[in-house]
Amino acid sequence: GGLMIRLGCLGRFSWEKNFVAAVASIVILPAEVTLMIAGAGPDGEVYARAARSWGVADRVRVVGPVARVAHFLSEVDLLVVPSIFEATPSVVAEAMVRGVPVAATRVGDLPAILGGGRGILLEDPSPEAIADGIGRVLADRSRLLRMSIAGRAFALEHLSAARMARGWEAAIATAMGWG
């Protein structure tokens, strides 16, 4: 075993987010890889139960809703977005701006955002593809650092203004009672 690699999934606990495949990938990956899943929704207990039945409960933590995304991201080495369908999850921009590398399926805008070595694009949403993508980082740890730097530079240039605009829109909607 090498250094620990802490994977994280963050989002609504619903089937299209496919977090259960991330749990299954832990079965395939070496013992130094752990997973923390944060969010809210009906499937939280499903992930915990799956981890127990697949014998990886000691490596998978389901933490429920997080008050601050920044705090969650400070606890993970790699954000995993195994979605079956998705537009552009805001957590990807949040992670990249903070220098947290992202491994994601080829959905929505993610191929354009994570291409060019800025992240890991998973071949498909299966546990095997997730494990394969993460395995490439385990084999070459310097790649995590390169993705962190390239991803952050891209996000600061292309994603942070859009993220701020969305944040303002949400704040205004809430203030006006539209949210």
Side-chain angles (χ1 to χ4, degrees):
L3 297 163
M4 295 292 284
I5 287 238
R6 302 166 305 167
L7 308 180
C9 290
L10 176 64
R12 230 180 76 69
F13 290 172
S14 55
W15 71 270
E16 75 278 1
K17 295 287 185 186
N18 196 34
F19 292 163
V20 72
V23 175
S25 77
I26 295 297
V27 178
I28 307 168
L29 285 159
E32 66 263 26
V33 183
T34 62
L35 172 66
M36 177 166 55
I37 304 176
D43 287 357
E45 186 46 45
V46 173
Y47 311 141
R49 204 161 49 236
R52 283 195 300 274
S53 64
W54 296 333
V56 290
D58 56 327
R59 293 164 58 201
V60 176
R61 204 150 54 97
V62 182
V63 297
V66 287
R68 289 175 52 245
V69 173
H71 180 71
F72 172 82
L73 290 171
S74 72
E75 307 247 299
V76 304
D77 301 308
L78 184 68
L79 179 74
V80 181
V81 183
S83 306
I84 292 163
F85 61 85
E86 187 82 73
T88 307
S90 59
V91 68
V92 169
E94 297 270 5
M96 291 173 79
V97 164
R98 290 187 171 80
V100 176
V102 179
T105 45
R106 298 167 187 270
V107 293
D109 299 333
L110 295 181
I113 292 170
L114 298 175
R118 290 185 294 268
I120 296 171
L121 286 165
L122 305 170
E123 287 308 314
D124 60 63
S126 68
E128 292 76 16
I130 296 167
D132 180 61
I134 289 154
R136 292 201 291 272
V137 178
L138 293 176
D140 176 12
R141 294 302 176 104
S142 65
R143 200 171 154 183
L144 267 180
L145 182 61
R146 290 198 304 274
M147 288 190 307
S148 170
I149 294 165
R152 185 163 192 272
F154 179 87
L156 287 172
E157 190 180 342
H158 299 286
L159 303 179
S160 54
R163 197 183 86 242
M164 280 164 53
R166 281 199 301 273
W168 279 111
E169 284 165 16
I172 292 165
T174 303
M176 300 297 284
W178 303 330

